[in-house]
Amino acid sequence: MEFTARQISDMLSGTVQGDSDVKVSRLSKIEEGVPGSLSFLANPKYTEFIYETKASVVIVGKDFIPEKHVAATLIKVEDAYAAFAKLLEIYHQIVRDKKGVEQPCFIDQSATTGIDIYVGAFAYVGKNAKIGNRVKLYPNSYVGDNVIIGDDTTLFPGVIVYSDCVIGKSCTLHAGVIIGADGFGFAPSAGSYNKVAQIGNVIIEDFVEIGSGTSIDRATLGSTTIHKGVKLDNLIQIAHNVEIGENTVIAAQTGIAGSTKIGKDCMIGGQVGIVGHLTIADNTKIAAQSGVGTSVTEPGQIIQGSPAFSISDYRRTYVVFKKLPDLDKKIQELEKALAEIRQTIS
Amino acid sequence: MEFTARQISDMLSGTVQGDSDVKVSRLSKIEEGVPGSLSFLANPKYTEFIYETKASVVIVGKDFIPEKHVAATLIKVEDAYAAFAKLLEIYHQIVRDKKGVEQPCFIDQSATTGIDIYVGAFAYVGKNAKIGNRVKLYPNSYVGDNVIIGDDTTLFPGVIVYSDCVIGKSCTLHAGVIIGADGFGFAPSAGSYNKVAQIGNVIIEDFVEIGSGTSIDRATLGSTTIHKGVKLDNLIQIAHNVEIGENTVIAAQTGIAGSTKIGKDCMIGGQVGIVGHLTIADNTKIAAQSGVGTSVTEPGQIIQGSPAFSISDYRRTYVVFKKLPDLDKKIQELEKALAEIRQTIS
Amino acid sequence: MEFTARQISDMLSGTVQGDSDVKVSRLSKIEEGVPGSLSFLANPKYTEFIYETKASVVIVGKDFIPEKHVAATLIKVEDAYAAFAKLLEIYHQIVRDKKGVEQPCFIDQSATTGIDIYVGAFAYVGKNAKIGNRVKLYPNSYVGDNVIIGDDTTLFPGVIVYSDCVIGKSCTLHAGVIIGADGFGFAPSAGSYNKVAQIGNVIIEDFVEIGSGTSIDRATLGSTTIHKGVKLDNLIQIAHNVEIGENTVIAAQTGIAGSTKIGKDCMIGGQVGIVGHLTIADNTKIAAQSGVGTSVTEPGQIIQGSPAFSISDYRRTYVVFKKLPDLDKKIQELEKALAEIRQTIS
C-alpha cells in the first residue's frame, strides 16, 4: 500500500507543508525514519529528530514551527499523536481484513453464522453456537456448544471458549486465551477432595480486549462477568464468579481469586494477587506485585504492598525498611548508652 | 432436560414437601431463583431468601423448619450442600457426555484406543499412544508418541501432552495445559549455553485435576511426578523432576523450581514461588505470594513471606513493618533525649 | 535402540574398562540404574552409588579409581557430565527426528518451505510465510502471514506466531508459546479507552529457546527483539518493544513491561517483575520474586526485593525485618527506661 502525503493529509483533515506528492508505504518512529516512511512528532522530547529524520512525511501538531530546515514533508493536524494512532488503526484494519471460510474447519450444522465472517482452517464451532457478523475465528480456535459471539469480535489462533459462554461485540481475544474452564472448586472428603461441578458460565460484554494466555474460569453457578470496555493484559488469572467493572484495566500476570468483585475504572498493576470474596471499590489503583487481602471500600485509593495498604504509607515505610540494619545498630547503641548512664547515676 | 421434584428427590434419597410434580429445568442460586429453577439452602446466612425465592424447588437440610410461608417445593435431605453438589455433578456429566470420533482428526495407525471415547475434530494421537476407555480428547488436543492416557480421563481443547508421558485414570486436564515440555536445563559454555537434553517424562497419577494454562515440564532423566488426587489451579509452573505428593492442592500462578519434592496434603496459595532442590513436608500450608527458599522439614507448618517463615511471626512482624516510620522517629527522639541527658549529667 | 559399551565409548572418545560388548538401551540416573541402562558419575557426592548400581554401563571421569568392586562396565572420558549430556542430546535428536508433511495441514500456496521439514497435521502456514530447511512445525502450530522461520527451528504443538514476525535459526519454541500478539496499548478517551494499534513485530534471533506458555508481544512500531542465545523459561510475559540482550537467561513466570531493555548475559530469577521503559545493564542478576522499578546502570550487580536493591543489603535488612517485633519491644523499653532516668535526674 502506497499513499501520497496529500491522501494521508485528507484522511486526517490536515494541511500539507512541503511536497504533497511524496509517497509513503510504511510507518516508523521518527528516530528510525527511512525514505518512504511516515512518522509523527508528538512528544517535545523528540523534536530534535525532526531535523535529521529520513522519513518522507512527518505528522506534527498544527502549532509546530520548525527552528531549522526540515527535509520531510509535514502534515499539520490538531493532535499529532491521535492522528498517528488513527493511521495505525486504519493500517491494522487493512492488514487484518480476513474473510471467508478456510478448509478444513468444523462448523456444527446446528450453529448459526453471520455475514462476512472469517473462519480459519482447523477452527471449531460447536452445537448451537451463534457467531455474529464480521466475526473472525482464526485457525485452531475453539468455540464450544451454545456459545454466543457478538458482531465484530476476533478470536486469534488457539483461543478456546468453553460451552455456554457469551462473548460480546467488538471484543478481541488474543492467542491462547481460555474462557470458561472449570473454576477451582473442591470439597474435602475423607482425606481427598471431591470436585464441585462448575455449571455456570462466563459473560464478556462489549469492547473487551483480553491478552494472550489469559484464563477466565466459568462460575460454579451464575456467571463470571467481565463488563464493557475492560482491558486485560497477558497471562492473567480470573477465578470463578469474579466480576470486573466497566473500563477497568489490569496488567499482566495478575490473579484474582474466586467471587471477588472489582469496581469500575480501576487500574491494577502486573503480578498483583487479590484474594477471594472481596470487593474493590471503583477507581482503585493497585501497584504492581501487591497482594490485596481485604476489601477496598472507599473509591479512588492507591495501594501497595503484600498485604497492601496506602501507597504513600508504603513508600515511607519502605524507605525505613531499607535502613533497618542501621536502626538495629542504633537501638543497640541506645541500649548500651542507657546502661552506661544508669551506672553513672546510680 | 426437565425433572419433577419427585424425580430429583428420589435421586437424592430425600423427601418432598409441597408439589412433587412441579418441574425444573435449571439450577440457580437461591437469591437468583426463577420459576423452573432448582436451588438449595445450606448456609444459614441465606435463610431469608427462601421466603422470597422464585425457584420452583429448593433443597434443604432435613432439620429445616420454615418460620414463614415458603412458595417453593422443598426437598429435605441429610446434607443440602452435598445433595446439591451431587446434582451439579450429574448435570455436568450429562452436559459433557461426548462420544464418537469427529472428522478430520489424526490417529496414528499404531495407536490403540479404548471403548466409548470422544475424539474431537483436529485432535491428534501420535505413534504407539494408548488411549483408555471413555477418554475424551477435545478438539485441537495433542497426544504425543508413546503417551498413555488412563480410563475416564478428559483432555479439554488445546491440551498438549508431549511424547512418552503417562496420564492416569479419571484425570481432568483443562484447556491449554502443557505436559512434558523440556525442563529448563542449560550448561554454561564459553559465554553462551548448551542445552541439556531432557529425556525423562511426566507421570500424572489418577484423579488429578489440572487448571487451564498450567505447564508441567518433563524430567531431565526419570520422571516429574504428580501423585494421586493432586489438584492444580490455572497457570501454574511445575519444573523438571519435581514431585508433588498425594492430595496436595495448589492455587493459581504458583511456580515450583526443579527437583523440589512437595509432600502430601499440602495447601499452597496463589503466586507462591518455591526454589529448586527443596523438600516440603506433608501438610505444609503456604500463604499466597510467599517465596520459599529453604526446605520445610517439620510437617503441618504454616508459613508466609518472601523468604517465608512462620505465618504467626510474619503477621506480627508485618504489624511492626507498617509502623516503621513511627519507629524511626522514636529512635531519633530517643537519641536526642539521650544526648540531652548526657549533657545534663556530665 | 541398543548400543554396546564400545560403540558408546567410541562416540565419546573414551576408553572401556570391563565388558565392552554389554548392551544398553536406555539412560538412567546412577541411583536408579537397571540392567540394560547407561548412567554416569560426575558429582563425587554420588560416588557410593557406583558400587551398588545395577546400570550395565557407567560413564566416569578419566581420573576415577574405584575403591571397591564395580559390577558395571566403565567408560572413562575427559568430563563425565559433558559426555553424558552429549549422549542425551544424541538420544534427543533420534527421538525427535520427525520429517514429512502430515495431512490435513494448511500451507498457503504463496508460502515457501525448505528441505527436510516436518509439518504436523493441523499445522497452519499463512500467506508469503518462509519456512527454512529442517524446520519442524508440530501439529496445531500456527505460522501467520509473512512470518519467516530460520533453518533448524522447531515449533512444538500449539505454538502461535502472529503475522510479520521473524524467528531465527536453531530456535526451539515449546508448546503454547505465543509470539507477536498485540502489545497492551490503550489511550484514555472520555472515560473509556481507545486501542493503540500495534503494527510492529517480534524478531527472535538464532539459538533462542522459549518455554511453554510464554508470550512475547509485538511492538507498537518497530520490533520487540530477543537477541541471540537468550533462554526463556515457561509462562514469561515480554511486553511490546522490549529488547533482551544476548545469552540472557530468565526463569519462569517473570514479567517485563513495555520498552524495557535488558542487557547481555543477565540472569533473572522466577516471578520477577520489571517495570517499563527501564535499562538493565549487562550481567545483572535479579533474585526471584524481585520487583525492579528503576534502571540498573552499573553492570554486574545482584539485586533483590520489591522494589529491589543490592542483594547483600537486602539480606541484612531481611534479618532485621524478621526480628521487628523484638525491636519494637526494645524501643518501648528504651522509652520507659529513659522516662525513669529523666525522673531520677530531674
Side-chain angles (χ1 to χ4, degrees), chain B residues 104-106 121-124 127 139-142 145 160 162-164 178 180-184 186-187 191-199 213-218 220-223 235-239 241 253-256 271-275 289-292 304-309 313-314 316-318 320-321 323-324 327-328 330-331 333-334 337-338 340-341 344-345, chain C residues 26-30 32 38-40 81 84-85 87-92 95-96 98 102-104 118 120-122 138-140 156-159 172-177 207 209 211-213 229 231-236 246-253 265-267 271 288-289 304 314 318 320-328 330-332 334-336 338-339 341-342 345:
Chain B
C105 65
F106 184 102
F122 320 124
Y124 185 102
K127 293 190 213 320
N140 302 79
S141 58
Y142 172 86
D145 297 346
I160 286 154
Y162 277 59
S163 60
D164 304 303
I178 296 165
D182 286 355
F184 195 62
F186 299 93
S192 68
Y193 293 90
N194 288 332
K195 180 178 174 74
V196 179
Q198 307 284 313
I199 71 158
T214 285
S215 254
I216 303 178
D217 282 351
R218 72 198 305 110
T220 311
L221 273 177
S223 299
L235 293 168
I236 289 171
Q237 148 71 354
I238 309 286
N241 295 86
Q253 295 178 316
T254 281
I256 301 176
Q271 298 181 334
V272 167
I274 304 182
V275 309
Q289 292 193 325
S290 294
V292 183
Q304 183 171 13
S306 178
F309 51 98
D313 289 348
Y314 184 83
R316 286 193 305 138
T317 300
Y318 203 75
V320 184
F321 171 76
K323 58 179 190 182
L324 273 181
L327 257 55
D328 189 32
K330 280 185 183 176
I331 290 170
E333 286 167 359
L334 281 166
L338 208 66
E340 286 169 8
I341 291 171
T344 308
I345 65 172
Chain C
R26 53 179 295 195
L27 304 173
S28 70
K29 297 184 199 173
I30 192 163
E32 296 172 356
L38 168 74
S39 194
F40 75 108
Y81 182 74
F84 192 72
L87 276 188
L88 286 179
E89 187 47 37
I90 292 168
Y91 178 87
H92 225 190
V95 168
R96 294 193 174 162
K98 293 204 170 264
E102 296 172 356
Q103 292 300 340
Y118 168 57
F122 320 124
Y138 273 75
N140 301 83
F156 278 103
V159 168
T172 303
L173 276 58
H174 278 286
V177 163
F207 302 107
E209 179 145 349
S212 55
K231 311 297 178 193
L232 302 178
D233 200 350
N234 301 348
L235 292 166
I236 289 171
E246 280 186 26
N247 296 317
T248 279
V249 174
I250 304 183
Q253 295 177 317
D265 302 312
C266 294
M267 297 185 75
Q271 297 181 335
Q289 292 193 325
Q304 183 170 11
Y314 184 83
Y318 203 74
V320 184
F321 171 76
K322 288 173 73 170
K323 59 178 189 183
L324 272 182
D326 275 355
L327 257 54
D328 189 32
K330 280 185 183 176
I331 291 169
Q332 285 170 40
L334 281 167
E335 286 176 324
K336 202 175 150 196
L338 207 67
I341 290 170
R342 270 181 168 147
I345 63 172

Side-chain angles (χ1 to χ4, degrees), chain C residues 97-315:
Chain C
D97 184 29
K98 293 204 170 264
K99 274 181 200 159
V101 178
E102 296 172 356
Q103 292 300 340
C105 66
F106 184 103
I107 303 178
D108 191 90
Q109 58 184 16
S110 61
T112 61
T113 54
I115 58 165
D116 289 336
I117 59 170
Y118 168 57
V119 181
F122 320 124
Y124 185 101
V125 179
K127 293 190 212 320
N128 302 311
K130 290 185 175 54
I131 308 295
N133 297 320
R134 296 169 301 281
V135 164
K136 295 186 179 68
L137 304 179
Y138 273 75
N140 301 83
S141 58
Y142 172 85
V143 175
D145 297 347
N146 311 311
V147 167
I148 297 171
I149 297 190
D151 294 345
D152 302 296
T153 282
T154 296
L155 271 59
F156 278 103
V159 168
I160 287 153
V161 183
Y162 278 58
S163 60
D164 303 303
C165 294
V166 179
I167 315 286
K169 295 178 184 175
S170 299
C171 292
T172 303
L173 276 58
H174 278 286
V177 163
I178 296 163
I179 304 294
D182 286 354
F184 196 61
F186 299 93
S189 167
S192 68
Y193 292 90
N194 289 331
K195 182 179 173 75
V196 178
Q198 306 286 311
I199 70 158
N201 72 348
V202 176
I203 295 176
I204 293 177
E205 296 185 352
D206 303 341
F207 302 107
V208 170
E209 179 145 349
I210 305 179
S212 55
T214 285
S215 255
I216 304 177
D217 282 351
R218 71 195 308 107
T220 310
L221 273 178
S223 300
T224 304
T225 308
I226 312 297
H227 287 288
K228 198 174 152 181
V230 166
K231 311 297 178 193
L232 302 178
D233 200 350
N234 301 348
L235 292 166
I236 289 171
Q237 149 70 355
I238 308 286
H240 48 177
N241 295 85
V242 164
E243 181 175 348
I244 301 184
E246 280 186 26
N247 296 317
T248 279
V249 174
I250 304 183
Q253 295 177 317
T254 282
I256 302 175
S259 301
T260 282
K261 288 187 196 316
I262 311 280
K264 297 179 190 180
D265 302 312
C266 294
M267 297 185 75
I268 301 179
Q271 297 181 335
V272 166
I274 305 181
V275 310
H277 298 275
L278 302 186
T279 302
I280 307 296
D282 295 348
N283 271 300
T284 300
K285 290 189 173 66
I286 306 176
Q289 292 193 325
S290 294
V292 182
T294 50
S295 289
V296 176
T297 50
E298 195 190 321
Q301 293 195 74
I302 313 180
I303 59 176
Q304 183 170 11
S306 176
F309 51 98
S310 150
I311 196 169
S312 54
D313 288 348
Y314 184 83
R315 287 183 178 167

Side-chain angles (χ1 to χ4, degrees), chain A residues 124 140 145 160 162 178 182 191 195 199 215 217 235 237 253 255 272-273 290-291 306-307 317 323 330 337, chain B residues 27 96 98 102 122 139-140 156-157 174-175 209 212 232-234 247 249 253 271 289 314 318 321 328 335 338:
Chain A
Y124 185 101
N140 303 82
D145 298 346
I160 287 154
Y162 278 58
I178 296 164
D182 286 354
K195 181 178 174 75
I199 70 159
S215 254
D217 282 351
L235 293 166
Q237 148 71 355
Q253 296 178 317
V272 166
S290 295
S306 177
T317 299
K323 60 179 188 181
K330 280 184 183 176
Chain B
L27 305 173
R96 293 193 175 163
K98 291 204 170 264
E102 295 171 357
F122 320 124
N140 302 79
F156 278 102
H174 279 286
E209 179 145 349
S212 55
L232 302 178
D233 200 350
N234 301 349
N247 296 317
V249 174
Q253 295 178 316
Q271 298 181 334
Q289 292 193 325
Y314 184 83
Y318 203 75
F321 171 76
D328 189 32
E335 285 177 324
L338 208 66

